[in-house]
Amino acid sequence: LDSRGTPDFSDHFDTITKAAREHLQRLNNDYDRNRDSYNLFLFHSLGGGTGSGTFPLAGTVLHHIGKTIEANYGIDVYVGGVGILPLVMQDPEVARPKGNPMYYPNAYTSLEDLSQLLNADEEELELPLYSRQFTKGGSNPNLDDAVEQSFSGNSLPVETSPFSNYWLVGVEEDLILGGGGFSDIENYGEMIDRTVAESVYAMSQMESSVENWA
């Protein structure tokens, strides 16, 4: 998401923005402005490296895209976040926690980042963009004007929490086996897929609108 070279962050931002708008256009026939909100969700891990490292930037991107859609289309946009968190058991007889030992320092650090994001309205933040190929924050003629307005130099401002609501979904590392194949014990991917699917299904069965899911 923020790697140097081509495409750079600006290109990814533009791609995600176009995808969100195209999805909105496909929903046009079913969308009721008086009843519905347009929903953007970010599902990511908090224990690995990719999800825990990129979610602050990815969530902020969705927030800025949502604000642009609200301004251009006059509709409400809901941004939900779901973090997959490893279970940490505090057992004094266990020298090391079960599962990948890197999950836990990664999870701790990403929860610190999450805390800052969720309280961004108390102290405005800016996320640096290391890959943005602009000279001193100059403009990119290939970007949509609304996308370009989201940037401040070579950083992305976080003026308020990017998530309307945020959930933590736990997975038990001691019940997880690595790799694929068939087993009576779920592997990592299977457990996450099932847990997230059950969570989303449970939320979808609520009669109230998405704003009240929390």
Side-chain angles (χ1 to χ4, degrees), residues 86-122:
L87 177 67
V88 179
M89 299 298 294
Q90 297 296 330
D91 187 343
E93 296 183 1
V94 177
R96 296 176 62 186
K98 297 178 180 179
N100 187 327
M102 286 304 299
Y103 288 158
Y104 303 98
N106 283 351
Y108 178 85
T109 303
S110 55
L111 286 173
E112 290 283 338
D113 292 341
L114 176 62
S115 178
Q116 282 194 311
L117 279 180
L118 296 182
N119 294 285
D121 55 341
E122 298 178 5

Side-chain angles (χ1 to χ4, degrees), residues 7 31 45 53 80 95 104 131-132 134 148 167 199 205:
Y31 188 87
S45 68
Y104 303 98
S131 70
R132 193 165 183 240
F134 297 0
E148 177 65 25
W167 293 270
S199 302
Q205 295 306 297

Side-chain angles (χ1 to χ4, degrees), residues 13 55-65 117 127 156-158 162-163:
F13 192 113
F55 86 89
L57 197 51
T60 304
V61 165
L62 293 183
H63 171 75
H64 281 274
I65 291 173
L117 279 180
L127 297 178
L156 198 60
V158 187
F163 301 108

Side-chain angles (χ1 to χ4, degrees), residues 4 12 20 34 67 92 105 114 123 143 162 164-165 167 171 175:
R4 296 183 184 276
H12 291 305
N34 297 319
K67 290 301 179 185
L114 176 62
E123 182 178 353
L143 274 183
S164 305
N165 287 118
W167 293 270
V171 293
L175 297 180

Side-chain angles (χ1 to χ4, degrees), residues 138-160:
S139 62
N140 182 338
N142 298 322
L143 274 183
D144 185 295
D145 288 342
V147 175
E148 177 65 25
Q149 291 171 8
S150 297
F151 295 102
S152 174
N154 284 354
S155 63
L156 198 60
V158 187
E159 299 171 351
T160 185

